[in-house]
């Protein structure tokens, strides 16, 4: 299957709704049909496609670091770093270049191939870009792939990141357009799409995914996956996060999602974005080994690796190696 050729972006509204999606490469109805398949049929289809495009036993490892933590002015209902929620996350101003390079070296020594630098900003200021570009260049010199997630970008900023050697920019659509406003009010879907376009135009690979387990319907999960799959071209990297419920955030206490629904979402991402790296992202520490194994079977071929995400926990590296050993998976 080739990359979608239909440009999702329309003049008035760039986000897709049920009717508008009928003429797209992946109408929402078609993703919904995938999600509604008998589980075995869905996983079989996902694994069949996965094998056409990827080594089924190889998992890519990305390590995260929070280069600037907490105190964020945005109101994302899931996020422990939003200043307005009382979550116990301690604010940390920008890390020094030395600290970041030391962490990147350690990540490389432990086997990671990509290093992702995250900052709790609505978007970076020029001074921030100057500091982050130094970090990117230094991490790139170590022979790691570089990724950054700094919030919304203004025209010209993506080019500066690209020139410093940024390989990927992570910017998630997070959920379906129709429920976006229930979760975040300080920016809208179009803002996210605009930044994605800045990244694309600067020649940086796009890392874009979302969060499930926020109380959304299966139809909303179909809406998120359709939105991602209809980006033209679709993202090179697709992180699928399971909500990590953090006390103090509005989404704390949300009814838990059946883990098999999470696996179905991974499968739909794999089928609709065959060449993408689909990353089993946040929420992995709360998942059983069996569910993680099903995610790999459904086409996930990347993880966040290292005992911390940005502010919350992730499985210990040794635990991941033990799981890979059991499953006969190789990391890269
Ligand atoms: N501030 C920037 C932004 O929002 O784009 C970059 C950092 S932000 C923490 C990166 C992503 O982390 C969010 O888009 C969201 O998908 C994910 N995230 C944040 N809190 C989460 C949580 N509690 N559970 C799962 N994913 C989360
Ligand atoms: C992504 O999609 N997930 C990562 C990364 N991109 C930046 C972040 C997950 C954050 C989970 C909550 C926390 O640790 O603060
Ligand atoms: Fe800020 Fe990003 Fe957290 Fe939203 S997800 S509150 S923008 S750090």
């Amino acid at each position: 299957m080739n990359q979608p050729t239909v440009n999702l972006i329309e003049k008035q509204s760039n986000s897709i709704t049920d009717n508008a999606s009928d003429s797209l490469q992946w109408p929402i109805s078609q993703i919904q049909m995938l999600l509604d398949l008998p589980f075995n049929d869905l996983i079989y289809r996902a694994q069949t496609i996965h094998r056409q495009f990827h080594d089924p036993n190889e998992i890519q490892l990305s390590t995260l670091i929070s280069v600037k933590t907490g105190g964020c002015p945005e109101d994302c209902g899931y996020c422990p770093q939003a200043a307005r929620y009382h979550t116990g996350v301690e604010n940390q101003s920008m890390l020094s270049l030395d600290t970041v390079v030391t962490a990147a070296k350690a990540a490389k020594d432990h086997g990671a191939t990509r290093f992702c630098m995250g900052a709790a900003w609505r978007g970076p200021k020029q001074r921030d870009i100057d500091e982050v570009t130094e970090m990117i260049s230094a991490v790139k010199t170590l022979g790691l792939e570089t990724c950054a997630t700094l919030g919304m970008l203004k025209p010209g900023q993506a080019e500066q990141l690209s020139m410093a050697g940024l390989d990927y920019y992570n910017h998630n659509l997070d959920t379906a357009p129709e429920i976006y406003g229930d979760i975040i009010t300080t920016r809208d879907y179009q803002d996210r799409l605009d930044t994605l376009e800045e990244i694309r135009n600067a020649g940086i690979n796009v890392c874009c995914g979302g969060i499930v387990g926020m109380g959304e319907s299966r139809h909303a999960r179909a809406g998120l996956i359709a939105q991602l799959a209809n980006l033209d071209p679709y993202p090179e990297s697709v992180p699928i996060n399971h909500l990590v419920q953090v006390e103090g955030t509005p989404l704390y206490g949300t009814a838990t999602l059946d883990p098999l629904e999470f696996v179905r979402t991974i499968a739909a991402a794999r089928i609709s974005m065959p060449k993408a790296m689909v990353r089993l992202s946040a929420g992995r520490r709360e998942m059983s080994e069996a569910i993680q194994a099903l995610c790999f079977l459904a086409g996930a071929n990347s993880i966040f690796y290292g005992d911390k995400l940005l502010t919350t926990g992730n499985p210990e590296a040794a635990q991941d190696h033990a799981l890979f050993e059991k499953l006969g998976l190789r990391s890269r």
Side-chain angles (χ1 to χ4, degrees):
M1 200 184 297
N2 291 322
Q3 292 272 65
T5 50
V6 180
N7 192 340
L8 164 68
I9 300 183
E10 293 159 19
K11 284 276 174 300
Q12 293 303 314
S13 163
N14 290 355
S15 59
I16 49 171
T17 54
D18 281 294
N19 290 342
S21 88
D22 287 351
S23 59
L24 295 167
Q25 174 86 4
W26 284 101
I28 298 170
S29 57
Q30 230 178 302
I31 304 285
Q32 173 91 42
M33 270 166 53
L34 289 175
L35 292 177
D36 290 345
L37 281 172
F39 189 78
N40 289 351
D41 291 342
L42 174 61
I43 303 304
Y44 177 73
R45 279 185 66 169
Q47 178 64 201
T48 304
I49 288 194
H50 190 54
R51 281 169 186 265
Q52 285 167 26
F53 292 89
H54 304 275
D55 179 336
N57 298 309
E58 188 176 87
I59 306 289
Q60 185 273 331
L61 307 179
S62 291
T63 292
L64 278 169
I65 187 168
S66 179
V67 299
K68 187 268 171 192
T69 307
C72 184
E74 301 287 277
D75 72 349
C76 312
Y78 44 77
C79 186
Q81 300 198 70
R84 65 191 72 200
Y85 310 136
H86 302 286
T87 61
V89 165
E90 274 190 36
N91 295 353
Q92 161 80 64
S93 55
M94 191 88 109
L95 296 181
S96 70
L97 179 60
D98 254 17
T99 307
V100 173
V101 169
T102 303
K105 278 186 186 147
K108 189 176 183 200
D109 289 348
H110 288 106
T113 53
R114 190 178 303 171
F115 192 67
C116 180
M117 293 158 269
W121 291 318
R122 172 175 166 84
K125 300 188 172 55
Q126 186 54 44
R127 179 168 24 99
D128 303 324
I129 293 278
D130 294 341
E131 289 188 64
V132 174
T133 47
E134 275 193 59
M135 293 173 183
I136 292 166
S137 302
V139 172
K140 182 85 178 160
T141 310
L142 299 175
L144 283 160
E145 287 183 325
T146 55
C147 177
T149 181
L150 316 171
M152 294 188 278
L153 297 181
K154 296 192 193 73
Q157 292 186 323
E159 283 74 13
Q160 294 182 62
L161 297 171
S162 170
M163 277 169 52
L166 189 68
D167 296 308
Y168 291 81
Y169 193 87
N170 167 243
H171 199 66
N172 293 336
L173 288 175
D174 282 328
T175 192
E178 65 265 28
I179 61 168
Y180 197 80
D182 300 336
I183 293 167
I184 302 155
T185 68
T186 49
R187 56 171 188 251
D188 60 27
Y189 221 73
Q190 189 58 50
D191 291 324
R192 298 305 268 187
L193 292 167
D194 289 347
T195 290
L196 291 171
E197 208 175 328
E198 292 288 333
I199 301 161
R200 223 359 127 209
N201 291 342
I204 300 170
N205 291 302
V206 171
C207 172
C208 181
I211 311 178
V212 299
M214 298 196 291
E216 75 286 339
S217 61
R218 184 182 271 185
H219 185 261
R221 286 189 286 281
L224 167 67
I225 299 299
Q227 191 74 45
L228 296 168
N230 285 316
L231 290 171
D232 182 17
Y234 59 76
E236 282 75 19
S237 236
V238 180
I240 304 292
N241 296 276
H242 189 294
L243 174 69
V244 180
Q245 297 207 12
V246 179
E247 205 169 342
T249 59
L251 288 179
Y252 182 70
T254 302
T256 52
L257 180 73
D258 180 338
L260 294 177
E261 283 296 309
F262 185 86
V263 178
R264 283 178 181 274
T265 311
I266 296 268
R270 167 52 65 225
I271 293 166
S272 58
M273 294 171 275
K275 291 190 215 162
M277 298 302 288
V278 174
R279 182 166 310 109
L280 168 53
S281 300
R284 209 161 54 77
R285 194 180 57 167
E286 290 71 28
M287 273 171 217
S288 66
E289 288 193 338
I291 289 296
Q292 292 185 61
L294 280 174
C295 288
F296 297 134
L297 190 64
N301 58 351
S302 171
I303 58 167
F304 284 124
Y305 171 69
D307 59 6
K308 207 169 170 197
L309 293 164
L310 292 174
T311 65
T312 64
N314 198 42
E316 300 285 334
Q319 239 178 302
D320 283 339
H321 288 298
L323 177 59
F324 283 16
E325 181 73 29
K326 265 194 221 179
L327 300 175
L329 294 173
R330 281 173 277 103
S331 60
R332 77 151 171 96

